[in-house]
Amino acid sequence: ELFQQQNTRLYNDLFTGYRREMSPYNGHGVLNDTYPLTPVTIALQYARLIRVLEPELQHQNLVGVLLDWQDPRLRWDPSLYGRVDHINVNRFTVWMPEFYPCESSQSQMVSPEQSITIRLNSTGHMNTFIIFSTYYSCEFDVYRFPFDTQHCYYCFIMVNYNPRDELRFNAKFAARPYIYDTSEWALKLHGVHYEDSVDTDFNMGLLYYNISFSRRPQFWVGLVITPTFVIGSLIIIGLFFGRGGDTINNAVGLGLTTMMSMMVIVGILVDAFAKSQYIPVLGWYIIVEIMIITLAVLALLSSE
């Protein structure tokens, strides 16, 4: 009961007259020299690659970050409140820096904001965990398909603060991030870089977590490359070593059958990727197969 009384008294003392909608860092460089500038720390703790949408040049992810910041208005001496050194408060009780994913077509928090709990320490530091479901945009390079690696990023933006003397990002990876990928793609995390833009009308800070995902080629090798090679080889053998009087009709029939098989594979490739100025390696492989079969058919017909 005494502990509950101390918590209630602490809560009343902290939040009487407190304005959560007012940032303590607006105009920091001019109006607030009492408190040292403390960055907003974002640590990437969780990343799950859901799927890669190559025709749309997007990748869908669940991204979880640990957010740490300070509100110097919410500091207290634990010895005056029964050694209570932290309390847990709701998202809408305290001021929280606004940030959101950028370079994305669609993004939302997995949990509703009203369910977010924040740990408030006696130093005014706060921390919480937030998960976003986001469709990030990325320029894919599929020239080496199906042995390609895509280099993309998770982007976050914070606006309306001067990052030089008000508020800025401090980005890092968590000590033990949880990384999950898919059966087709292997996800890896790389470095972090930060960019800011400051002018008289608009300020923003941009944070980029560099990532890459490499394609696991077993599916394409087993179901496209190997069958295509086998079909092409059998056609060549049938053309030059086949027996029978109707050689011309056999050659034309085998050639047309090969073309139809190859066109099915080409259709699969066209549907799998965004239109590009480059033909992927697998596409060139199919083109070469078609050219070899065509030349073989022409050579056989010209010899008759």
Side-chain angles (χ1 to χ4, degrees), residues 54-303:
E54 292 173 84
E56 291 82 12
L57 300 179
Q58 294 182 336
H59 52 103
Q60 182 186 4
N61 300 264
L62 291 177
V63 181
V65 295
L66 294 170
L67 185 66
D68 186 280
W69 73 101
Q70 183 184 30
D71 188 338
R73 300 170 296 179
L74 298 177
R75 298 187 293 187
W76 73 89
D77 184 353
S79 63
L80 301 179
Y81 297 93
R83 300 192 179 280
V84 175
D85 60 358
H86 74 275
I87 57 175
N88 294 316
V89 296
N90 184 264
R91 154 73 177 94
F92 295 107
T93 303
V94 297
W95 171 80
M96 180 177 174
E98 297 292 338
F99 75 103
Y100 46 87
C102 55
E103 299 291 345
S104 63
S105 62
Q106 179 181 342
S107 179
Q108 64 180 10
M109 290 186 182
V110 173
S111 300
E113 284 194 84
Q114 58 266 26
S115 66
I116 296 177
T117 300
I118 296 173
R119 177 187 172 104
L120 170 60
N121 297 298
S122 60
T123 59
H125 284 89
M126 289 176 270
N127 55 74
T128 189
F129 181 69
I130 302 175
I131 298 182
F132 294 95
S133 174
T134 305
Y135 288 80
Y136 281 106
S137 299
C138 183
E139 291 293 331
F140 295 145
D141 181 6
V142 296
Y143 178 74
R144 293 179 56 83
F145 170 85
F147 307 100
D148 53 322
T149 297
Q150 306 302 330
H151 298 277
C152 303
Y153 47 77
Y154 298 144
C155 173
F156 295 97
I157 185 172
M158 182 169 57
V159 299
N160 296 330
Y161 291 98
N162 188 325
R164 297 174 184 173
D165 62 2
E166 290 182 344
L167 198 63
R168 66 170 293 157
F169 278 131
N170 178 27
K172 63 180 183 179
F173 293 106
R176 294 184 60 187
Y178 297 94
I179 310 299
Y180 303 95
D181 47 35
T182 68
S183 59
E184 183 180 2
W185 297 93
L187 175 64
K188 293 183 180 180
L189 303 180
H190 300 287
V192 181
H193 71 276
Y194 174 84
E195 298 177 6
D196 58 55
S197 175
V198 179
D199 57 43
T200 56
D201 299 320
F202 183 74
N203 300 321
M204 68 176 179
L206 292 169
L207 169 64
Y208 296 94
Y209 286 98
N210 300 315
I211 65 170
S212 69
F213 31 90
S214 302
R215 193 189 307 269
R216 297 183 172 103
Q218 292 86 344
F219 173 86
W220 295 96
V221 171
L223 295 183
V224 176
I225 297 178
T226 301
T228 302
F229 176 77
V230 172
I231 290 173
S233 300
L234 292 177
I235 294 297
I236 296 295
I237 293 173
L239 287 174
F240 288 99
F241 297 97
R243 301 296 181 183
D246 201 357
T247 305
I248 295 179
N249 289 337
N250 290 338
V252 172
L254 288 173
L256 291 176
T257 301
T258 304
M259 292 296 180
M260 293 176 61
S261 302
M262 297 300 178
M263 287 302 102
V264 170
I265 297 175
V266 169
I268 294 174
L269 295 179
V270 170
D271 293 337
F273 305 112
K275 305 304 180 288
S276 172
Q277 60 179 324
Y278 303 109
I279 298 177
V281 172
L282 184 55
W284 283 113
Y285 172 76
I286 300 299
I287 291 174
V288 171
E289 286 271 354
I290 293 174
M291 292 176 61
I292 291 175
I293 300 300
T294 302
L295 291 175
V297 171
L298 293 175
L300 188 60
L301 293 178
S302 63
S303 65

